[in-house]
Amino acid sequence: MRELSREDLRSCCASARWVEEVAARGPYRDLDGLRRASGPALAALAWDDVLEALAAHPRIGERPGGAGREAAWSRSEQSGAADAGRGVLDALREGNAAYESRFGHVYLVCATGRDADDLLALLRGRLGNDEETERAVVRDELSKIVALRLAKLWEGR
């Protein structure tokens, strides 16, 4: 059985409500049990809680600084955009600004395994979503990111 600290959990999802829910259900026997606790806790988040989680995520195409675990994970997750050309990075920057203006929060996407062109195409496609649809997409992307980060945390990476 493993007890995970709130700081460890916060590196996976910055929503205080999610951290408290998942911490309260511990300790955990295995990663599957941890993920089973995380899923319902994420699904139950109010939109303000989701926004709190989003605030910890860097913009796609911008490499986060810092030496913390979450910054290192973000750099790794966005590594597919690291070698993008100036034109694609400029388009991502413009797309991020348009997205934030339209939806009021950072464009969140599970970037693991995706290159900059793919991330840009997804961004452009999502700009056409209505608010309700986009919120559902954001929740799904957040769930994917949290699941990947929980595995990294559990494995000690």
Side-chain angles (χ1 to χ4, degrees):
M1 298 295 279
R2 280 176 63 183
E3 188 77 37
L4 299 168
S5 74
R6 283 167 173 71
E7 181 181 333
D8 285 339
L9 291 170
R10 194 173 329 286
S11 67
C12 297
C13 180
S15 163
R17 182 178 304 259
W18 179 87
V19 168
E20 291 305 315
E21 287 289 321
V22 175
R25 294 178 185 175
Y28 294 96
R29 181 178 317 280
D30 56 25
L31 176 58
D32 287 339
L34 178 57
R35 284 182 170 158
R36 281 192 304 274
S38 173
L42 281 170
L45 292 180
W47 186 246
D48 283 344
D49 299 317
V50 172
L51 291 175
E52 179 182 28
L54 296 180
H57 287 269
R59 290 180 180 93
I60 294 295
E62 294 181 6
R63 294 192 45 91
R69 178 187 296 144
E70 188 173 356
W73 285 346
S74 289
R75 284 190 295 273
S76 173
E77 291 160 0
Q78 289 197 42
S79 63
D83 296 328
R86 176 59 40 210
V88 175
L89 290 175
D90 287 346
L92 277 169
R93 195 169 11 267
E94 291 169 12
N96 282 326
Y99 182 96
E100 289 173 23
S101 175
R102 175 154 167 61
F103 295 110
H105 56 79
V106 70
Y107 160 59
L108 186 77
V109 62
C110 184
T112 300
R114 293 183 162 144
D115 67 19
D117 290 320
D118 188 26
L119 295 169
L120 179 58
L122 290 168
L123 170 57
R124 288 177 171 160
R126 286 174 53 187
L127 281 168
N129 287 346
D130 61 45
E131 183 95 15
E132 183 179 341
T133 300
E134 187 55 22
R135 285 185 178 195
V137 172
V138 166
R139 286 178 178 276
D140 185 56
E141 295 297 315
L142 180 61
S143 293
K144 291 175 192 175
I145 293 166
V146 171
L148 289 171
R149 288 183 175 188
L150 286 172
K152 291 175 187 176
L153 177 64
W154 193 264
E155 295 163 6
R157 293 191 279 153

